[in-house]
PDB file of all heavy atoms in Angstrom:
ATOM      1  N   ILE Q 333     322.726  34.653 102.726  1.00  0.00           N
ATOM      2  CA  ILE Q 333     323.389  33.492 102.233  1.00  0.00           C
ATOM      3  C   ILE Q 333     323.385  33.436 100.699  1.00  0.00           C
ATOM      4  O   ILE Q 333     322.297  33.621 100.137  1.00  0.00           O
ATOM      5  CB  ILE Q 333     322.880  32.138 102.765  1.00  0.00           C
ATOM      6  CG1 ILE Q 333     322.938  32.141 104.322  1.00  0.00           C
ATOM      7  CG2 ILE Q 333     323.690  30.980 102.321  1.00  0.00           C
ATOM      8  CD1 ILE Q 333     322.234  30.973 104.990  1.00  0.00           C
ATOM      9  N   VAL Q 334     324.493  33.139 100.079  1.00  0.00           N
ATOM     10  CA  VAL Q 334     324.545  32.895  98.675  1.00  0.00           C
ATOM     11  C   VAL Q 334     325.313  31.560  98.540  1.00  0.00           C
ATOM     12  O   VAL Q 334     326.336  31.329  99.145  1.00  0.00           O
ATOM     13  CB  VAL Q 334     325.350  34.026  97.907  1.00  0.00           C
ATOM     14  CG1 VAL Q 334     325.444  33.663  96.401  1.00  0.00           C
ATOM     15  CG2 VAL Q 334     324.639  35.317  98.081  1.00  0.00           C
ATOM     16  N   ASP Q 335     324.837  30.700  97.708  1.00  0.00           N
ATOM     17  CA  ASP Q 335     325.466  29.415  97.456  1.00  0.00           C
ATOM     18  C   ASP Q 335     325.344  28.976  96.006  1.00  0.00           C
ATOM     19  O   ASP Q 335     324.363  29.309  95.289  1.00  0.00           O
ATOM     20  CB  ASP Q 335     324.967  28.243  98.363  1.00  0.00           C
ATOM     21  CG  ASP Q 335     323.551  27.956  98.161  1.00  0.00           C
ATOM     22  OD1 ASP Q 335     322.643  28.557  98.697  1.00  0.00           O
ATOM     23  OD2 ASP Q 335     323.280  26.991  97.316  1.00  0.00           O
ATOM     24  N   VAL Q 336     326.335  28.188  95.541  1.00  0.00           N
ATOM     25  CA  VAL Q 336     326.411  27.747  94.203  1.00  0.00           C
ATOM     26  C   VAL Q 336     326.747  26.322  94.256  1.00  0.00           C
ATOM     27  O   VAL Q 336     327.728  25.847  94.868  1.00  0.00           O
ATOM     28  CB  VAL Q 336     327.479  28.524  93.334  1.00  0.00           C
ATOM     29  CG1 VAL Q 336     327.536  27.950  91.969  1.00  0.00           C
ATOM     30  CG2 VAL Q 336     327.150  29.960  93.278  1.00  0.00           C
ATOM     31  N   HIS Q 337     326.011  25.413  93.504  1.00  0.00           N
ATOM     32  CA  HIS Q 337     326.347  24.074  93.199  1.00  0.00           C
ATOM     33  C   HIS Q 337     326.594  23.747  91.816  1.00  0.00           C
ATOM     34  O   HIS Q 337     325.828  24.240  90.989  1.00  0.00           O
ATOM     35  CB  HIS Q 337     325.222  23.160  93.818  1.00  0.00           C
ATOM     36  CG  HIS Q 337     325.461  21.713  93.364  1.00  0.00           C
ATOM     37  ND1 HIS Q 337     326.325  20.836  93.995  1.00  0.00           N
ATOM     38  CD2 HIS Q 337     324.944  21.004  92.268  1.00  0.00           C
ATOM     39  CE1 HIS Q 337     326.316  19.717  93.312  1.00  0.00           C
ATOM     40  NE2 HIS Q 337     325.491  19.767  92.239  1.00  0.00           N
ATOM     41  N   PHE Q 338     327.602  23.062  91.480  1.00  0.00           N
ATOM     42  CA  PHE Q 338     327.837  22.607  90.089  1.00  0.00           C
ATOM     43  C   PHE Q 338     328.429  21.181  90.096  1.00  0.00           C
ATOM     44  O   PHE Q 338     329.273  20.809  90.897  1.00  0.00           O
ATOM     45  CB  PHE Q 338     328.892  23.596  89.469  1.00  0.00           C
ATOM     46  CG  PHE Q 338     329.260  23.191  88.032  1.00  0.00           C
ATOM     47  CD1 PHE Q 338     328.402  23.467  86.990  1.00  0.00           C
ATOM     48  CD2 PHE Q 338     330.462  22.609  87.736  1.00  0.00           C
ATOM     49  CE1 PHE Q 338     328.781  23.047  85.737  1.00  0.00           C
ATOM     50  CE2 PHE Q 338     330.852  22.232  86.440  1.00  0.00           C
ATOM     51  CZ  PHE Q 338     329.950  22.466  85.391  1.00  0.00           C
ATOM     52  N   ASP Q 339     327.829  20.405  89.298  1.00  0.00           N
ATOM     53  CA  ASP Q 339     328.306  19.032  89.094  1.00  0.00           C
ATOM     54  C   ASP Q 339     328.400  18.761  87.525  1.00  0.00           C
ATOM     55  O   ASP Q 339     327.574  19.220  86.800  1.00  0.00           O
ATOM     56  CB  ASP Q 339     327.649  17.980  89.863  1.00  0.00           C
ATOM     57  CG  ASP Q 339     326.215  17.800  89.332  1.00  0.00           C
ATOM     58  OD1 ASP Q 339     325.972  16.958  88.429  1.00  0.00           O
ATOM     59  OD2 ASP Q 339     325.261  18.420  89.892  1.00  0.00           O
ATOM     60  N   MET Q 340     329.414  17.907  87.174  1.00  0.00           N
ATOM     61  CA  MET Q 340     329.643  17.732  85.730  1.00  0.00           C
ATOM     62  C   MET Q 340     330.179  16.354  85.572  1.00  0.00           C
ATOM     63  O   MET Q 340     331.014  15.803  86.263  1.00  0.00           O
ATOM     64  CB  MET Q 340     330.584  18.788  85.147  1.00  0.00           C
ATOM     65  CG  MET Q 340     330.848  18.609  83.685  1.00  0.00           C
ATOM     66  SD  MET Q 340     332.022  19.957  83.071  1.00  0.00           S
ATOM     67  CE  MET Q 340     331.963  19.595  81.301  1.00  0.00           C
ATOM     68  N   ALA Q 341     329.711  15.682  84.516  1.00  0.00           N
ATOM     69  CA  ALA Q 341     330.206  14.296  84.144  1.00  0.00           C
ATOM     70  C   ALA Q 341     331.532  14.440  83.463  1.00  0.00           C
ATOM     71  O   ALA Q 341     331.708  15.235  82.566  1.00  0.00           O
ATOM     72  CB  ALA Q 341     329.226  13.570  83.290  1.00  0.00           C
ATOM     73  N   LEU Q 342     332.489  13.638  83.870  1.00  0.00           N
ATOM     74  CA  LEU Q 342     333.835  13.621  83.251  1.00  0.00           C
ATOM     75  C   LEU Q 342     333.987  12.310  82.685  1.00  0.00           C
ATOM     76  O   LEU Q 342     334.906  11.524  83.025  1.00  0.00           O
ATOM     77  CB  LEU Q 342     334.988  13.964  84.272  1.00  0.00           C
ATOM     78  CG  LEU Q 342     334.879  15.291  85.068  1.00  0.00           C
ATOM     79  CD1 LEU Q 342     335.920  15.389  86.013  1.00  0.00           C
ATOM     80  CD2 LEU Q 342     334.854  16.464  84.057  1.00  0.00           C
ATOM     81  N   GLY Q 343     333.139  11.928  81.775  1.00  0.00           N
ATOM     82  CA  GLY Q 343     333.147  10.583  81.176  1.00  0.00           C
ATOM     83  C   GLY Q 343     332.020   9.775  81.808  1.00  0.00           C
ATOM     84  O   GLY Q 343     331.222  10.298  82.607  1.00  0.00           O
ATOM     85  N   SER Q 344     331.988   8.501  81.516  1.00  0.00           N
ATOM     86  CA  SER Q 344     330.865   7.640  81.919  1.00  0.00           C
ATOM     87  C   SER Q 344     331.030   7.178  83.348  1.00  0.00           C
ATOM     88  O   SER Q 344     330.049   6.774  84.023  1.00  0.00           O
ATOM     89  CB  SER Q 344     330.806   6.398  80.980  1.00  0.00           C
ATOM     90  OG  SER Q 344     332.070   5.677  81.078  1.00  0.00           O
ATOM     91  N   ASP Q 345     332.256   7.292  84.008  1.00  0.00           N
ATOM     92  CA  ASP Q 345     332.437   6.782  85.268  1.00  0.00           C
ATOM     93  C   ASP Q 345     333.037   7.799  86.261  1.00  0.00           C
ATOM     94  O   ASP Q 345     333.564   7.407  87.311  1.00  0.00           O
ATOM     95  CB  ASP Q 345     333.270   5.542  85.269  1.00  0.00           C
ATOM     96  CG  ASP Q 345     334.610   5.720  84.659  1.00  0.00           C
ATOM     97  OD1 ASP Q 345     334.883   6.878  84.239  1.00  0.00           O
ATOM     98  OD2 ASP Q 345     335.407   4.797  84.436  1.00  0.00           O
ATOM     99  N   ARG Q 346     332.995   9.086  85.863  1.00  0.00           N
ATOM    100  CA  ARG Q 346     333.510  10.066  86.775  1.00  0.00           C
ATOM    101  C   ARG Q 346     332.588  11.280  86.848  1.00  0.00           C
ATOM    102  O   ARG Q 346     332.030  11.627  85.806  1.00  0.00           O
ATOM    103  CB  ARG Q 346     334.920  10.584  86.324  1.00  0.00           C
ATOM    104  CG  ARG Q 346     336.011   9.478  86.587  1.00  0.00           C
ATOM    105  CD  ARG Q 346     337.344  10.089  86.065  1.00  0.00           C
ATOM    106  NE  ARG Q 346     338.414   9.098  86.298  1.00  0.00           N
ATOM    107  CZ  ARG Q 346     338.789   8.117  85.514  1.00  0.00           C
ATOM    108  NH1 ARG Q 346     338.013   7.884  84.351  1.00  0.00           N
ATOM    109  NH2 ARG Q 346     339.751   7.352  85.728  1.00  0.00           N
ATOM    110  N   ARG Q 347     332.497  11.871  88.055  1.00  0.00           N
ATOM    111  CA  ARG Q 347     331.682  13.101  88.154  1.00  0.00           C
ATOM    112  C   ARG Q 347     332.376  14.047  89.203  1.00  0.00           C
ATOM    113  O   ARG Q 347     332.763  13.636  90.261  1.00  0.00           O
ATOM    114  CB  ARG Q 347     330.259  12.821  88.622  1.00  0.00           C
ATOM    115  CG  ARG Q 347     329.361  13.960  88.356  1.00  0.00           C
ATOM    116  CD  ARG Q 347     327.892  13.524  88.404  1.00  0.00           C
ATOM    117  NE  ARG Q 347     327.034  14.548  87.783  1.00  0.00           N
ATOM    118  CZ  ARG Q 347     326.656  14.571  86.557  1.00  0.00           C
ATOM    119  NH1 ARG Q 347     327.027  13.652  85.713  1.00  0.00           N
ATOM    120  NH2 ARG Q 347     325.889  15.596  86.056  1.00  0.00           N
ATOM    121  N   LEU Q 348     332.428  15.333  88.750  1.00  0.00           N
ATOM    122  CA  LEU Q 348     333.041  16.371  89.599  1.00  0.00           C
ATOM    123  C   LEU Q 348     331.892  17.169  90.240  1.00  0.00           C
ATOM    124  O   LEU Q 348     330.952  17.563  89.505  1.00  0.00           O
ATOM    125  CB  LEU Q 348     333.836  17.333  88.764  1.00  0.00           C
ATOM    126  CG  LEU Q 348     334.514  18.461  89.476  1.00  0.00           C
ATOM    127  CD1 LEU Q 348     335.538  17.975  90.520  1.00  0.00           C
ATOM    128  CD2 LEU Q 348     335.145  19.411  88.484  1.00  0.00           C
ATOM    129  N   ASN Q 349     331.956  17.434  91.510  1.00  0.00           N
ATOM    130  CA  ASN Q 349     331.022  18.325  92.236  1.00  0.00           C
ATOM    131  C   ASN Q 349     331.705  19.442  92.932  1.00  0.00           C
ATOM    132  O   ASN Q 349     332.790  19.253  93.610  1.00  0.00           O
ATOM    133  CB  ASN Q 349     330.317  17.519  93.425  1.00  0.00           C
ATOM    134  CG  ASN Q 349     329.518  16.319  92.803  1.00  0.00           C
ATOM    135  OD1 ASN Q 349     328.385  16.324  92.314  1.00  0.00           O
ATOM    136  ND2 ASN Q 349     330.197  15.160  92.767  1.00  0.00           N
ATOM    137  N   VAL Q 350     331.234  20.628  92.770  1.00  0.00           N
ATOM    138  CA  VAL Q 350     331.809  21.779  93.399  1.00  0.00           C
ATOM    139  C   VAL Q 350     330.633  22.569  94.226  1.00  0.00           C
ATOM    140  O   VAL Q 350     329.595  22.822  93.583  1.00  0.00           O
ATOM    141  CB  VAL Q 350     332.505  22.707  92.385  1.00  0.00           C
ATOM    142  CG1 VAL Q 350     333.092  23.909  93.199  1.00  0.00           C
ATOM    143  CG2 VAL Q 350     333.557  21.935  91.725  1.00  0.00           C
ATOM    144  N   ASP Q 351     330.909  22.938  95.412  1.00  0.00           N
ATOM    145  CA  ASP Q 351     329.903  23.677  96.172  1.00  0.00           C
ATOM    146  C   ASP Q 351     330.586  24.860  96.964  1.00  0.00           C
ATOM    147  O   ASP Q 351     331.597  24.656  97.625  1.00  0.00           O
ATOM    148  CB  ASP Q 351     329.199  22.856  97.203  1.00  0.00           C
ATOM    149  CG  ASP Q 351     328.293  21.772  96.640  1.00  0.00           C
ATOM    150  OD1 ASP Q 351     327.144  22.155  96.313  1.00  0.00           O
ATOM    151  OD2 ASP Q 351     328.698  20.630  96.318  1.00  0.00           O
ATOM    152  N   TRP Q 352     330.010  26.040  96.804  1.00  0.00           N
ATOM    153  CA  TRP Q 352     330.426  27.215  97.481  1.00  0.00           C
ATOM    154  C   TRP Q 352     329.371  27.906  98.234  1.00  0.00           C
ATOM    155  O   TRP Q 352     328.276  28.001  97.685  1.00  0.00           O
ATOM    156  CB  TRP Q 352     331.074  28.125  96.394  1.00  0.00           C
ATOM    157  CG  TRP Q 352     331.438  29.607  96.982  1.00  0.00           C
ATOM    158  CD1 TRP Q 352     332.498  29.810  97.793  1.00  0.00           C
ATOM    159  CD2 TRP Q 352     330.728  30.793  96.794  1.00  0.00           C
ATOM    160  NE1 TRP Q 352     332.526  31.135  98.117  1.00  0.00           N
ATOM    161  CE2 TRP Q 352     331.421  31.775  97.612  1.00  0.00           C
ATOM    162  CE3 TRP Q 352     329.580  31.119  96.226  1.00  0.00           C
ATOM    163  CZ2 TRP Q 352     330.951  33.049  97.650  1.00  0.00           C
ATOM    164  CZ3 TRP Q 352     329.104  32.441  96.233  1.00  0.00           C
ATOM    165  CH2 TRP Q 352     329.838  33.432  96.967  1.00  0.00           C
ATOM    166  N   THR Q 353     329.606  28.297  99.449  1.00  0.00           N
ATOM    167  CA  THR Q 353     328.632  28.980 100.254  1.00  0.00           C
ATOM    168  C   THR Q 353     329.177  30.144 100.975  1.00  0.00           C
ATOM    169  O   THR Q 353     330.387  30.095 101.519  1.00  0.00           O
ATOM    170  CB  THR Q 353     328.058  27.996 101.279  1.00  0.00           C
ATOM    171  OG1 THR Q 353     327.388  26.867 100.700  1.00  0.00           O
ATOM    172  CG2 THR Q 353     326.990  28.685 102.153  1.00  0.00           C
ATOM    173  N   HIS Q 354     328.593  31.243 100.957  1.00  0.00           N
ATOM    174  CA  HIS Q 354     328.943  32.452 101.686  1.00  0.00           C
ATOM    175  C   HIS Q 354     327.865  32.985 102.585  1.00  0.00           C
ATOM    176  O   HIS Q 354     326.710  33.049 102.103  1.00  0.00           O
ATOM    177  CB  HIS Q 354     329.325  33.595 100.692  1.00  0.00           C
ATOM    178  CG  HIS Q 354     329.725  34.816 101.290  1.00  0.00           C
ATOM    179  ND1 HIS Q 354     330.883  35.055 102.004  1.00  0.00           N
ATOM    180  CD2 HIS Q 354     329.010  36.007 101.460  1.00  0.00           C
ATOM    181  CE1 HIS Q 354     330.907  36.300 102.425  1.00  0.00           C
ATOM    182  NE2 HIS Q 354     329.774  36.910 102.127  1.00  0.00           N
TER     183      HIS Q 354
END
Side-chain angles (χ1 to χ4, degrees):
I333 301 173
V334 178
D335 64 272
V336 177
H337 167 83
F338 177 74
D339 67 85
M340 182 176 185
L342 303 177
S344 60
D345 56 1
R346 289 180 177 84
R347 194 163 199 93
L348 177 69
N349 301 273
V350 180
D351 289 275
W352 172 75
T353 300
H354 174 75

